[in-house]
């Protein structure tokens, strides 16, 4: 792998930037691999990278139906944070955040991490009481969180409507200073490049059409570019998890929904924190290019259409204007949707499936990007050792039988 | 999207709620009491879903209207509504092939 550095930039500038290598190869699929990852999004690529780096399994293929990072990895709002309530979630998401904190160095790729903080707004005395409890829970779990009063919020986010007569008056907020944003495409490219350098084959435009299963054990995958053998297959396809599960003959407790986001035209720098408001159901950050990046809640019904619904978009925009009335004349530039995999307890499914040798990473719902690193790391561990790591042992499919749910949606008020 | 409630006629989609697939059968019946159903069977019934990409039968409720529930044959990719039929009725024959 050609290392990226100030020196390499200067050296390539002298040759008019014509000497840069391809960041990763585009090989044809081999007849057999030790492990196949289905899905070339952030989670799939991270799984391949950690399989190679942490477990020495380098004879690995990532097969992607479209292009890498073209699904939810390229459609999210780039937020990273770990402000969860329950110990299992806090441990997992904080581990993910720590991997993000070291990712640029580890992968030799600038993922443009900006830890300017994640601010959750409180709009009533009841919100505030619940969130004070959450702060204590986060401290108990070793996650940073602090109470922010209205004056501080005005300082951090000029233009925010802190008028006590507002429809949703702001009474305070929780700040996780280590939260922030990272470049989502960069994360996919960084993992792809680093995995490729360790010998992983990244095969794009290669759709999985079925699985070869014998006596309840996977033997390989059927793809649009021929059959590929592998004793271990990991699925990381977010909203299409049920489609892949159906090919392998099992069902998942997942519902696919459209989640929208949009960006405005670029503005001069206004604020650098990510601001989330559960009461208005929206969140907003400003990208490095100056666009206001806006996200909201799910569309109203299950969907596999990556479009998004105008009614939901209208509500999201209304929520943002409630918080920032000054944005009312700013034009929306783009709007899009990704298909997310919703489970009942807003906690991912990471581990074994009913088919031996097939492992799955799904159920991240609306919050998958921040877990790209941890999702990949724990899935790689599970694939390599055929057992879950301590961090994902509570995230198995078994919890739907035992009832050991981790109901983050109800507990943390996070808009999943 | 406009949805035609079998009782009220065509209304905006904001008045409706999606209520999951139509064809989920409770495992306990006259033959099997609740106690005889295993945790795995309950999990299948309560949580596991086909989550179909394409045409499927769904329950919808006109919650901000008449409050009645009904069934819909809808495509989850194009969002096209092919058939609407009342609770207790069967979907029209050939509903699975509407896209062909």
């Amino acid at each position: 792998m050609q290392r990226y550095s100030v020196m390499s930039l200067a050296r390539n500038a002298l040759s008019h930037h014509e000497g840069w290598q391809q960041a990763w190869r585009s090989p044809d699929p081999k007849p057999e691999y030790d492990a196949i990852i289905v899905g070339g999004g952030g989670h799939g690529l991270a799984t391949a990278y950690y399989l190679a780096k942490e477990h020495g399994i380098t004879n690995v293929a990532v097969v992607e139906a479209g292009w890498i990072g073209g699904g939810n990895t390229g459609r999210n709002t780039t937020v990273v944070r770990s402000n969860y309530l329950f110990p299992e979630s806090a441990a997992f998401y904080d581990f993910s955040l720590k991997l993000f904190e070291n990712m640029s160095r580890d992968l030799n790729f600038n993922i443009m991490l900006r830890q300017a903080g994640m601010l959750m707004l409180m709009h009533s005395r009841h919100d505030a009481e619940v969130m004070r409890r959450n702060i204590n829970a986060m401290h108990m779990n070793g996650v940073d969180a602090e109470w922010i009063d209205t004056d501080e919020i005005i300082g951090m986010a000029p233009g925010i409507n802190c008028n006590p007569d507002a429809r949703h008056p702001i009474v305070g907020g929780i700040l996780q200073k280590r939260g922030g944003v990272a470049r989502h495409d960069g994360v996919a490219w960084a993992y792809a490049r680093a995995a490729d350098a360790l010998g992983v084959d990244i095969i794009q435009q290669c759709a999985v059409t079925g699985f070869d299963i014998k006596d309840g054990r996977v033997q390989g995958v059927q793809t649009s570019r021929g059959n590929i053998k592998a004793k271990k297959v990991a699925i990381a396809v977010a909203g299409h998890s049920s489609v892949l599960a159906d090919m392998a003959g099992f069902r998942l407790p997942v519902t696919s929904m459209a989640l929208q986001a949009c960006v405005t035209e670029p503005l001069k720098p206004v604020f650098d924190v990510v601001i989330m408001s559960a009461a208005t159901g929206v969140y907003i950050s400003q990208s490095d290019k100056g666009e206001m990046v806006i996200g909201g809640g799910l569309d109203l019904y299950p969907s596999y259409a990556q479009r998004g619904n105008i009614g939901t978009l209208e509500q999201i925009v209304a929520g943002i204007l409630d918080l920032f009335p000054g944005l009312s004349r700013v034009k929306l530039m783009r709007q899009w949707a990704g298909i997310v995999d919703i489970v009942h307890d807003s906690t991912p499914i990471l581990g074994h499936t009913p088919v031996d040798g097939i492992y799955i990473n799904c159920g991240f719902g609306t919050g998958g990007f921040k877990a790209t690193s941890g999702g990949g790391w724990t899935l790689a561990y599970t694939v390599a050792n055929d057992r879950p790591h301590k961090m994902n042992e509570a995230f198995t499919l078994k919890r739907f039988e035992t009832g050991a749910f981790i109901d983050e949606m109800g507990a943390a008020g996070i808009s999943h | 999207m406009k949805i035609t409630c079998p009782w009220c006629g065509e209304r905006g989609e904001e008045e409706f709620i999606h209520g999951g697939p139509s064809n989920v059968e409770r495992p306990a019946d006259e033959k099997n009491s609740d106690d005889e159903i295993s945790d795995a069977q309950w999990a299948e019934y309560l949580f596991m879903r086909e989550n179909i990409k394409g045409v499927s039968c769904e329950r919808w409720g006109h919650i901000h209207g008449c409050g009645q529930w009904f069934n819909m044959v809808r495509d989850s990719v194009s969002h096209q509504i092919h058939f609407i039929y009342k609770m207790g009725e069967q979907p029209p024959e050939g509903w699975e092939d509407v896209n062909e």
Side-chain angles (χ1 to χ4, degrees), chain A residues 122-123 161 163-171 277 279-280 319 322-323:
Chain A
M122 306 299 112
H123 295 281
N161 184 8
N163 187 334
D165 297 329
R167 170 70 184 84
H168 297 285
I170 294 167
V171 300
S277 160
T280 51
D322 203 57
L323 293 179

Side-chain angles (χ1 to χ4, degrees), chain A residues 340-400:
Chain A
V340 298
D341 39 351
I342 302 298
V343 290
H344 294 76
D345 59 351
S346 297
T347 290
I349 298 163
L350 263 169
H352 291 77
T353 69
V355 180
D356 284 344
I358 298 186
Y359 308 85
I360 198 157
N361 164 341
C362 71
F364 278 97
T366 65
F369 176 67
K370 72 177 89 65
T372 305
S373 48
W377 197 96
T378 49
L379 187 63
Y381 184 96
T382 309
V383 171
N385 298 292
D386 196 34
R387 63 183 154 82
H389 187 264
K390 199 171 182 314
M391 267 186 300
N392 64 319
E393 67 185 1
F395 298 162
T396 61
L397 270 174
K398 204 75 188 162
R399 73 177 187 270
F400 294 89

Side-chain angles (χ1 to χ4, degrees), chain A residues 19-82:
Chain A
W20 292 106
Q21 291 173 4
Q22 265 191 325
W24 53 83
R25 300 161 295 128
S26 295
D28 286 324
K30 289 192 269 187
E32 184 164 5
Y33 289 93
D34 292 341
I36 293 174
I37 319 290
V38 183
H43 282 265
L45 294 164
T47 306
Y49 171 69
Y50 291 118
L51 267 178
K53 185 196 170 209
E54 303 283 339
H55 307 286
I57 302 173
T58 56
N59 186 23
V60 174
V62 177
V63 292
E64 163 59 45
W67 63 97
I68 60 166
N72 294 351
T73 302
R75 291 165 193 270
N76 60 70
T77 47
T78 78
V79 175
V80 293
R81 58 185 174 83
S82 60

